[in-house]
Amino acid sequence: MSRSRIRNNIRRLRFNRDEMTQQELAEKVGVTRQTVIAIEGDKYSPSLEVAFRIARVFGVPLEHVFQYEADDSPAAKAS
């Protein structure tokens, strides 16, 4: 069975947005700071609704925030 992983660019996007804190992002998205920490640290995959809300905060398409990688993908094999 292949294992998949959702990677994200939240940390980079926060810092490109005037060094937005995790707390500020959490408030804008409507989640707790701990949820943002877990998502950013690849410990938790957000619901689709939360993922879209995060993308909307940064004003970018969902694909610029999150990337799906399966173990059998070329990117996963290279790491």
Side-chain angles (χ1 to χ4, degrees):
M1 177 190 323
S2 70
R3 195 172 101 91
S4 61
R5 182 176 179 134
I6 297 177
R7 298 199 181 268
N8 70 75
N9 295 312
I10 295 173
R11 183 176 172 88
R12 182 178 53 79
L13 289 165
R14 283 193 307 104
F15 281 93
N16 288 343
R17 183 63 64 98
D18 296 324
E19 298 187 14
M20 177 188 292
T21 66
Q22 291 169 327
Q23 181 65 44
E24 290 169 331
L25 177 59
E27 289 170 2
K28 290 176 187 277
V29 175
V31 298
T32 65
R33 182 178 61 86
Q34 289 80 8
T35 299
V36 170
I37 291 168
I39 294 169
E40 192 173 293
D42 291 331
K43 305 281 188 230
Y44 172 75
S45 294
S47 69
L48 190 54
E49 181 180 357
V50 170
F52 274 107
R53 282 194 249 156
I54 292 170
R56 181 172 286 161
V57 165
F58 295 118
V60 298
L62 191 62
E63 298 83 25
H64 283 106
V65 182
F66 297 98
Q67 299 79 42
Y68 175 78
E69 294 179 358
D71 275 349
D72 57 354
S73 72
K77 290 179 182 178
S79 46

Coordinates of all heavy atoms in Angstrom, one line a residue:
M1 N 0.8 -1.2 0.0 CA 0.0 0.0 0.0 C 0.9 1.2 0.0 O 1.8 1.3 0.8 CB -0.9 0.0 1.2 CG -1.7 1.2 1.3 SD -2.7 1.6 2.8 CE -3.3 0.2 3.4
S2 N 0.6 2.2 -0.9 CA 1.4 3.4 -0.9 C 0.9 4.4 0.1 O -0.3 4.5 0.4 CB 1.4 4.0 -2.3 OG 0.2 4.5 -2.6
R3 N 1.8 5.1 0.6 CA 1.5 6.2 1.6 C 1.6 7.5 0.9 O 2.4 7.8 0.1 CB 2.5 6.1 2.7 CG 2.1 6.9 4.0 CD 3.1 6.6 5.1 NE 4.1 7.7 5.2 CZ 3.9 8.7 6.0 NH1 2.8 8.7 6.8 NH2 4.8 9.6 6.1
S4 N 0.6 8.4 1.2 CA 0.6 9.7 0.6 C 0.9 10.8 1.6 O 0.8 10.5 2.8 CB -0.7 10.0 -0.1 OG -1.8 9.9 0.9
R5 N 1.2 11.9 1.2 CA 1.6 13.0 2.0 C 1.1 14.3 1.4 O 1.3 14.5 0.2 CB 3.1 13.0 2.3 CG 3.5 14.1 3.2 CD 5.0 13.9 3.4 NE 5.4 15.0 4.3 CZ 6.2 14.8 5.4 NH1 6.6 13.6 5.7 NH2 6.5 15.8 6.1
I6 N 0.6 15.2 2.2 CA 0.2 16.5 1.7 C 1.3 17.5 2.3 O 1.4 17.6 3.5 CB -1.2 16.9 2.2 CG1 -2.2 16.0 1.6 CG2 -1.5 18.4 1.8 CD1 -3.6 16.2 2.0
R7 N 2.0 18.1 1.4 CA 3.0 19.1 1.8 C 2.4 20.5 1.7 O 1.4 20.7 0.9 CB 4.2 19.0 0.9 CG 4.9 17.6 1.0 CD 6.3 17.7 0.5 NE 7.0 16.4 0.6 CZ 7.7 16.0 1.7 NH1 7.8 16.8 2.7 NH2 8.2 14.8 1.7
N8 N 3.0 21.5 2.4 CA 2.4 22.8 2.3 C 3.5 23.9 2.3 O 4.7 23.6 2.7 CB 1.4 23.0 3.4 CG 2.1 23.1 4.8 OD1 2.7 24.1 5.1 ND2 2.0 22.1 5.6
N9 N 3.2 25.0 1.9 CA 4.1 26.2 1.8 C 3.6 27.3 2.8 O 3.9 28.5 2.6 CB 4.1 26.8 0.4 CG 4.7 25.8 -0.5 OD1 5.8 25.3 -0.3 ND2 4.1 25.6 -1.7
I10 N 2.9 26.9 3.8 CA 2.3 27.9 4.7 C 3.3 28.8 5.4 O 3.2 30.0 5.4 CB 1.4 27.2 5.8 CG1 0.2 26.6 5.1 CG2 0.9 28.3 6.8 CD1 -0.7 25.7 6.0
R11 N 4.4 28.2 5.9 CA 5.4 29.0 6.6 C 6.0 30.1 5.6 O 6.1 31.2 6.0 CB 6.5 28.1 7.1 CG 7.6 28.8 7.9 CD 8.6 27.8 8.5 NE 9.7 28.5 9.0 CZ 9.8 29.0 10.3 NH1 8.8 28.8 11.1 NH2 10.8 29.6 10.8
R12 N 6.3 29.7 4.4 CA 6.9 30.6 3.4 C 5.9 31.7 3.1 O 6.2 32.9 3.1 CB 7.3 29.9 2.2 CG 7.9 30.8 1.1 CD 8.4 30.0 -0.1 NE 7.4 29.2 -0.7 CZ 6.4 29.7 -1.5 NH1 6.3 31.0 -1.7 NH2 5.5 28.9 -2.0
L13 N 4.6 31.3 2.9 CA 3.6 32.3 2.6 C 3.3 33.2 3.8 O 3.1 34.4 3.5 CB 2.3 31.5 2.3 CG 2.3 30.8 0.9 CD1 1.1 29.8 0.9 CD2 2.2 31.8 -0.2
R14 N 3.4 32.8 5.0 CA 3.2 33.7 6.1 C 4.3 34.7 6.2 O 4.1 35.9 6.4 CB 3.3 32.9 7.5 CG 2.0 32.1 7.8 CD 2.0 31.6 9.2 NE 3.1 30.8 9.7 CZ 4.1 31.2 10.4 NH1 4.1 32.5 10.9 NH2 5.1 30.4 10.8
F15 N 5.6 34.3 6.0 CA 6.7 35.2 6.0 C 6.7 36.2 4.9 O 7.2 37.3 5.0 CB 8.0 34.5 6.2 CG 8.2 34.0 7.6 CD1 7.8 32.8 8.0 CD2 8.8 34.9 8.6 CE1 8.0 32.4 9.3 CE2 8.9 34.5 9.9 CZ 8.5 33.2 10.3
N16 N 6.2 35.7 3.7 CA 6.1 36.7 2.6 C 4.9 37.7 2.8 O 4.9 38.7 2.1 CB 5.8 35.9 1.3 CG 7.1 35.1 0.8 OD1 8.2 35.4 1.3 ND2 6.9 34.2 0.0
R17 N 4.1 37.4 3.7 CA 2.9 38.3 4.0 C 3.2 39.1 5.3 O 2.6 38.9 6.3 CB 1.7 37.4 4.2 CG 0.4 38.1 4.5 CD -0.1 39.0 3.3 NE -0.4 38.4 2.1 CZ -1.6 38.0 1.7 NH1 -2.6 38.2 2.4 NH2 -1.7 37.4 0.6
D18 N 4.3 39.8 5.2 CA 4.7 40.7 6.4 C 4.9 39.9 7.7 O 4.5 40.3 8.7 CB 3.7 41.8 6.6 CG 3.6 42.8 5.4 OD1 4.7 43.0 4.8 OD2 2.5 43.3 5.2
E19 N 5.5 38.7 7.5 CA 5.8 37.8 8.7 C 4.5 37.6 9.5 O 4.6 37.7 10.8 CB 6.9 38.4 9.5 CG 8.2 38.4 8.6 CD 9.5 38.8 9.4 OE1 9.4 38.8 10.7 OE2 10.5 39.0 8.8
M20 N 3.4 37.2 8.9 CA 2.2 36.9 9.6 C 2.5 35.8 10.6 O 3.1 34.9 10.3 CB 1.1 36.4 8.6 CG -0.2 36.0 9.2 SD -1.3 35.2 8.0 CE -1.7 36.6 7.0
T21 N 1.9 36.0 11.8 CA 2.1 35.0 12.8 C 1.1 33.8 12.6 O 0.1 33.9 11.9 CB 1.9 35.5 14.2 OG1 0.5 35.9 14.4 CG2 2.8 36.7 14.5
Q22 N 1.4 32.7 13.3 CA 0.5 31.6 13.2 C -0.8 31.9 13.9 O -1.9 31.5 13.4 CB 1.1 30.4 13.9 CG 2.3 29.8 13.2 CD 3.1 28.8 14.0 OE1 3.2 28.9 15.2 NE2 3.7 27.8 13.3
Q23 N -0.8 32.7 14.9 CA -2.0 33.2 15.6 C -2.8 34.1 14.6 O -4.1 33.9 14.6 CB -1.7 34.0 16.8 CG -2.9 34.4 17.6 CD -3.7 33.3 18.1 OE1 -3.2 32.3 18.7 NE2 -5.0 33.4 18.0
E24 N -2.2 35.0 13.9 CA -2.9 35.8 13.0 C -3.6 35.0 11.9 O -4.8 35.2 11.5 CB -2.0 36.9 12.3 CG -1.5 37.9 13.3 CD -0.4 38.8 12.8 OE1 0.4 38.3 11.9 OE2 -0.3 40.0 13.2
L25 N -2.9 34.0 11.4 CA -3.4 33.1 10.3 C -4.6 32.4 10.9 O -5.7 32.2 10.3 CB -2.4 32.2 9.8 CG -2.9 31.2 8.7 CD1 -3.5 31.9 7.5 CD2 -1.7 30.3 8.3
A26 N -4.4 31.8 12.1 CA -5.5 31.0 12.7 C -6.8 31.9 12.9 O -7.9 31.4 12.6 CB -5.0 30.5 14.1
E27 N -6.6 33.1 13.3 CA -7.8 34.0 13.5 C -8.5 34.3 12.1 O -9.7 34.3 12.1 CB -7.4 35.3 14.1 CG -7.0 35.1 15.6 CD -6.4 36.3 16.2 OE1 -6.2 37.4 15.6 OE2 -6.0 36.2 17.4
K28 N -7.7 34.5 11.1 CA -8.3 34.8 9.8 C -9.0 33.5 9.2 O -10.0 33.7 8.5 CB -7.2 35.2 8.8 CG -6.7 36.6 9.1 CD -5.5 37.0 8.2 CE -4.9 38.3 8.6 NZ -5.5 39.4 8.1
V29 N -8.5 32.3 9.5 CA -9.0 31.1 9.0 C -10.2 30.6 9.8 O -11.1 29.9 9.4 CB -7.9 30.0 8.8 CG1 -8.5 28.7 8.4 CG2 -6.9 30.5 7.8
G30 N -10.1 30.9 11.1 CA -11.2 30.4 12.0 C -10.8 29.1 12.7 O -11.7 28.3 13.0
V31 N -9.5 28.9 13.0 CA -9.1 27.7 13.7 C -8.2 28.1 14.8 O -7.9 29.3 15.0 CB -8.3 26.7 12.7 CG1 -9.2 26.2 11.6 CG2 -7.1 27.4 12.1
T32 N -7.7 27.2 15.6 CA -6.8 27.5 16.7 C -5.4 27.6 16.2 O -5.0 27.1 15.1 CB -6.8 26.5 17.8 OG1 -6.3 25.2 17.3 CG2 -8.2 26.3 18.3
R33 N -4.5 28.3 16.9 CA -3.1 28.4 16.6 C -2.5 27.0 16.6 O -1.6 26.7 15.7 CB -2.4 29.3 17.6 CG -0.9 29.5 17.3 CD -0.2 30.4 18.3 NE -0.3 29.8 19.7 CZ 0.6 29.0 20.2 NH1 1.6 28.6 19.5 NH2 0.5 28.6 21.4
Q34 N -2.9 26.1 17.5 CA -2.4 24.7 17.5 C -2.7 24.0 16.2 O -1.9 23.2 15.7 CB -2.9 24.0 18.7 CG -2.4 24.4 20.0 CD -3.0 25.7 20.5 OE1 -4.0 26.2 20.0 NE2 -2.5 26.3 21.6
T35 N -3.9 24.3 15.6 CA -4.2 23.7 14.3 C -3.3 24.1 13.2 O -2.8 23.3 12.4 CB -5.7 23.9 14.0 OG1 -6.5 23.4 15.0 CG2 -6.1 23.4 12.6
V36 N -3.0 25.4 13.2 CA -2.1 26.0 12.2 C -0.7 25.3 12.4 O -0.1 25.0 11.4 CB -2.0 27.5 12.3 CG1 -0.9 28.1 11.4 CG2 -3.3 28.1 11.9
I37 N -0.2 25.2 13.6 CA 1.1 24.6 13.9 C 1.1 23.2 13.4 O 2.1 22.8 12.7 CB 1.4 24.7 15.4 CG1 1.6 26.1 15.9 CG2 2.6 23.7 15.7 CD1 1.6 26.2 17.4
A38 N 0.0 22.4 13.6 CA 0.0 21.0 13.2 C 0.0 20.9 11.7 O 0.6 20.1 11.1 CB -1.2 20.3 13.8
I39 N -0.8 21.8 11.0 CA -0.9 21.7 9.5 C 0.5 22.1 8.9 O 1.0 21.5 8.0 CB -2.0 22.7 9.0 CG1 -3.4 22.2 9.4 CG2 -1.9 22.8 7.5 CD1 -4.5 23.2 9.2
E40 N 1.0 23.2 9.4 CA 2.3 23.7 8.9 C 3.4 22.7 9.1 O 4.3 22.6 8.3 CB 2.6 25.0 9.6 CG 3.7 25.8 9.0 CD 3.9 27.2 9.7 OE1 3.0 28.0 9.6 OE2 4.9 27.4 10.4
G41 N 3.4 22.0 10.2 CA 4.4 21.0 10.5 C 4.1 19.6 9.9 O 4.8 18.6 10.2
D42 N 3.2 19.5 9.0 CA 2.8 18.3 8.3 C 2.4 17.2 9.3 O 2.6 16.0 9.0 CB 4.0 17.7 7.5 CG 4.2 18.6 6.2 OD1 3.3 19.2 5.7 OD2 5.4 18.6 5.8
K43 N 1.8 17.6 10.4 CA 1.3 16.6 11.4 C -0.2 16.3 11.2 O -0.7 15.4 11.8 CB 1.6 17.1 12.8 CG 3.0 17.5 13.1 CD 3.8 16.3 13.4 CE 5.2 16.7 13.9 NZ 6.2 16.0 13.2
Y44 N -0.8 17.2 10.5 CA -2.3 17.1 10.3 C -2.6 17.7 8.9 O -2.1 18.7 8.5 CB -2.9 18.0 11.4 CG -4.4 18.2 11.3 CD1 -5.3 17.2 11.6 CD2 -4.9 19.4 10.9 CE1 -6.7 17.3 11.5 CE2 -6.3 19.6 10.8 CZ -7.2 18.6 11.1 OH -8.5 18.8 11.0
S45 N -3.5 17.0 8.3 CA -4.0 17.5 7.0 C -5.4 18.1 7.2 O -6.3 17.6 7.8 CB -4.2 16.3 6.0 OG -3.0 15.7 5.7
P46 N -5.5 19.4 6.8 CA -6.7 20.1 7.0 C -7.9 19.6 6.2 O -7.7 18.9 5.2 CB -6.4 21.5 6.6 CG -5.4 21.3 5.5 CD -4.6 20.2 5.9
S47 N -9.1 19.9 6.6 CA -10.3 19.6 5.8 C -10.2 20.5 4.5 O -9.4 21.4 4.5 CB -11.6 20.0 6.6 OG -11.7 21.4 6.7
L48 N -10.9 20.1 3.6 CA -10.9 20.8 2.3 C -11.4 22.3 2.5 O -10.8 23.2 1.9 CB -11.8 20.1 1.3 CG -11.8 20.6 -0.2 CD1 -10.3 20.5 -0.7 CD2 -12.7 19.7 -1.0
E49 N -12.3 22.5 3.4 CA -12.8 23.8 3.6 C -11.7 24.7 4.3 O -11.5 25.8 3.8 CB -14.0 23.8 4.6 CG -14.6 25.1 4.9 CD -15.8 25.1 5.8 OE1 -16.3 24.0 6.2 OE2 -16.3 26.2 6.2
V50 N -11.0 24.1 5.2 CA -9.9 24.9 5.9 C -8.8 25.2 4.9 O -8.2 26.3 4.8 CB -9.4 24.2 7.1 CG1 -8.2 24.8 7.7 CG2 -10.5 24.2 8.2
A51 N -8.5 24.2 4.0 CA -7.5 24.4 3.0 C -7.8 25.5 2.1 O -7.0 26.4 1.8 CB -7.3 23.1 2.2
F52 N -9.1 25.6 1.7 CA -9.5 26.7 0.8 C -9.5 28.0 1.5 O -9.1 29.1 1.0 CB -10.9 26.4 0.2 CG -10.9 25.6 -1.0 CD1 -11.4 24.3 -1.0 CD2 -10.5 26.2 -2.2 CE1 -11.4 23.5 -2.1 CE2 -10.5 25.4 -3.4 CZ -11.0 24.1 -3.3
R53 N -9.8 28.0 2.8 CA -9.8 29.3 3.6 C -8.4 29.8 3.7 O -8.1 31.0 3.6 CB -10.4 29.1 5.0 CG -11.9 29.1 4.9 CD -12.5 29.2 6.3 NE -13.1 28.0 6.7 CZ -13.3 27.5 7.9 NH1 -12.9 28.2 8.9 NH2 -13.9 26.4 8.1
I54 N -7.4 28.9 3.9 CA -6.0 29.3 4.0 C -5.5 29.9 2.7 O -4.9 30.9 2.7 CB -5.1 28.1 4.4 CG1 -5.4 27.6 5.9 CG2 -3.6 28.4 4.3 CD1 -4.8 26.3 6.3
A55 N -5.9 29.2 1.6 CA -5.5 29.7 0.3 C -6.1 31.1 0.1 O -5.4 32.0 -0.5 CB -5.9 28.8 -0.8
R56 N -7.3 31.3 0.5 CA -8.0 32.6 0.3 C -7.3 33.7 1.1 O -7.2 34.8 0.6 CB -9.5 32.5 0.7 CG -10.2 33.8 0.5 CD -11.7 33.6 0.7 NE -12.2 32.9 -0.5 CZ -13.4 32.3 -0.5 NH1 -14.1 32.3 0.5 NH2 -13.8 31.7 -1.6
V57 N -6.9 33.4 2.3 CA -6.2 34.4 3.1 C -4.9 34.9 2.4 O -4.6 36.1 2.4 CB -5.7 33.8 4.5 CG1 -4.7 34.7 5.2 CG2 -7.0 33.6 5.4
F58 N -4.2 34.0 1.7 CA -3.0 34.4 1.0 C -3.3 34.9 -0.4 O -2.4 35.4 -1.1 CB -2.0 33.2 1.0 CG -1.5 32.9 2.3 CD1 -1.7 31.6 2.9 CD2 -0.8 33.8 3.1 CE1 -1.3 31.3 4.2 CE2 -0.3 33.5 4.4 CZ -0.6 32.2 4.9
G59 N -4.5 34.7 -0.9 CA -4.9 35.2 -2.2 C -4.2 34.4 -3.3 O -3.8 35.0 -4.4
V60 N -4.0 33.1 -3.1 CA -3.3 32.2 -4.1 C -4.2 31.0 -4.3 O -5.0 30.6 -3.5 CB -1.9 31.8 -3.6 CG1 -1.0 33.0 -3.5 CG2 -2.0 31.0 -2.3
P61 N -4.0 30.3 -5.4 CA -4.7 29.1 -5.7 C -4.3 28.0 -4.6 O -3.2 28.0 -4.1 CB -4.3 28.6 -7.1 CG -3.7 29.9 -7.7 CD -3.2 30.7 -6.6
L62 N -5.2 27.1 -4.4 CA -5.0 26.0 -3.4 C -3.6 25.3 -3.7 O -2.9 24.9 -2.8 CB -6.1 25.0 -3.5 CG -6.2 24.0 -2.4 CD1 -6.4 24.6 -1.0 CD2 -7.4 23.0 -2.7
E63 N -3.3 25.1 -5.0 CA -2.1 24.3 -5.4 C -0.8 25.1 -5.0 O 0.2 24.5 -4.9 CB -2.1 24.1 -6.9 CG -3.2 23.3 -7.4 CD -4.5 24.1 -7.7 OE1 -4.4 25.3 -7.9 OE2 -5.6 23.5 -7.6
H64 N -0.9 26.4 -4.7 CA 0.3 27.1 -4.3 C 0.5 26.9 -2.8 O 1.6 27.2 -2.3 CB 0.1 28.6 -4.6 CG 0.4 28.9 -6.0 ND1 -0.6 29.2 -6.9 CD2 1.5 28.9 -6.7 CE1 -0.1 29.5 -8.1 NE2 1.2 29.3 -8.0
V65 N -0.5 26.5 -2.1 CA -0.4 26.3 -0.6 C -0.1 24.8 -0.3 O 0.7 24.5 0.5 CB -1.7 26.7 0.1 CG1 -1.5 26.5 1.6 CG2 -2.1 28.1 -0.2
F66 N -0.9 23.9 -1.0 CA -0.8 22.5 -0.7 C -0.4 21.7 -1.9 O -0.9 22.0 -3.0 CB -2.1 21.9 -0.1 CG -2.5 22.5 1.2 CD1 -3.4 23.6 1.2 CD2 -2.0 22.1 2.4 CE1 -3.8 24.2 2.4 CE2 -2.3 22.7 3.6 CZ -3.2 23.7 3.6
Q67 N 0.4 20.6 -1.7 CA 0.8 19.7 -2.8 C 0.6 18.3 -2.3 O 1.1 18.0 -1.2 CB 2.3 19.9 -3.3 CG 2.6 21.3 -3.8 CD 2.8 22.3 -2.7 OE1 3.4 22.0 -1.7 NE2 2.3 23.5 -2.9
Y68 N 0.0 17.5 -3.1 CA -0.2 16.1 -2.8 C 0.9 15.2 -3.4 O 1.2 15.4 -4.6 CB -1.6 15.6 -3.3 CG -1.9 14.2 -3.1 CD1 -2.2 13.7 -1.9 CD2 -1.7 13.3 -4.2 CE1 -2.5 12.3 -1.7 CE2 -1.9 11.9 -4.0 CZ -2.3 11.4 -2.7 OH -2.5 10.1 -2.6
E69 N 1.5 14.4 -2.6 CA 2.5 13.5 -3.0 C 2.2 12.1 -2.6 O 2.0 11.9 -1.4 CB 3.9 13.9 -2.5 CG 4.4 15.2 -3.0 CD 5.7 15.6 -2.4 OE1 6.3 14.8 -1.6 OE2 6.2 16.6 -2.8
A70 N 2.2 11.1 -3.5 CA 2.1 9.7 -3.1 C 3.5 9.1 -3.1 O 4.4 9.7 -3.8 CB 1.2 9.0 -4.1
D71 N 3.7 8.1 -2.4 CA 5.0 7.5 -2.3 C 5.5 7.0 -3.7 O 6.7 6.9 -3.9 CB 5.0 6.3 -1.4 CG 5.2 6.7 0.1 OD1 5.6 7.8 0.3 OD2 5.0 5.8 0.9
D72 N 4.6 6.7 -4.6 CA 5.0 6.3 -5.9 C 5.2 7.4 -6.9 O 5.5 7.2 -8.1 CB 4.0 5.3 -6.5 CG 2.6 5.8 -6.6 OD1 2.3 6.9 -6.1 OD2 1.7 5.1 -7.1
S73 N 5.1 8.7 -6.4 CA 5.3 9.8 -7.3 C 6.8 10.1 -7.5 O 7.6 9.7 -6.6 CB 4.7 11.1 -6.7 OG 5.4 11.6 -5.6
P74 N 7.2 10.7 -8.6 CA 8.6 11.0 -8.9 C 9.2 11.8 -7.8 O 10.4 11.6 -7.3 CB 8.6 11.7 -10.2 CG 7.4 11.3 -10.9 CD 6.4 11.0 -9.8
A75 N 8.5 12.8 -7.2 CA 9.0 13.7 -6.2 C 9.3 12.9 -4.9 O 10.3 13.1 -4.2 CB 8.1 14.8 -5.9
A76 N 8.4 12.0 -4.6 CA 8.6 11.2 -3.4 C 9.8 10.2 -3.5 O 10.5 9.9 -2.6 CB 7.3 10.4 -3.0
K77 N 10.0 9.7 -4.7 CA 11.1 8.7 -5.0 C 12.5 9.5 -4.9 O 13.5 8.9 -4.5 CB 10.9 8.0 -6.3 CG 9.8 7.1 -6.3 CD 9.6 6.4 -7.7 CE 8.4 5.5 -7.6 NZ 8.2 4.8 -8.9
A78 N 12.5 10.7 -5.2 CA 13.7 11.5 -5.3 C 14.2 11.9 -3.9 O 15.3 12.2 -3.6 CB 13.5 12.8 -6.1
S79 N 13.3 11.9 -2.9 CA 13.7 12.3 -1.5 C 14.1 11.1 -0.7 O 14.1 10.0 -0.9 CB 12.6 13.0 -0.8 OG 11.3 12.4 -0.9

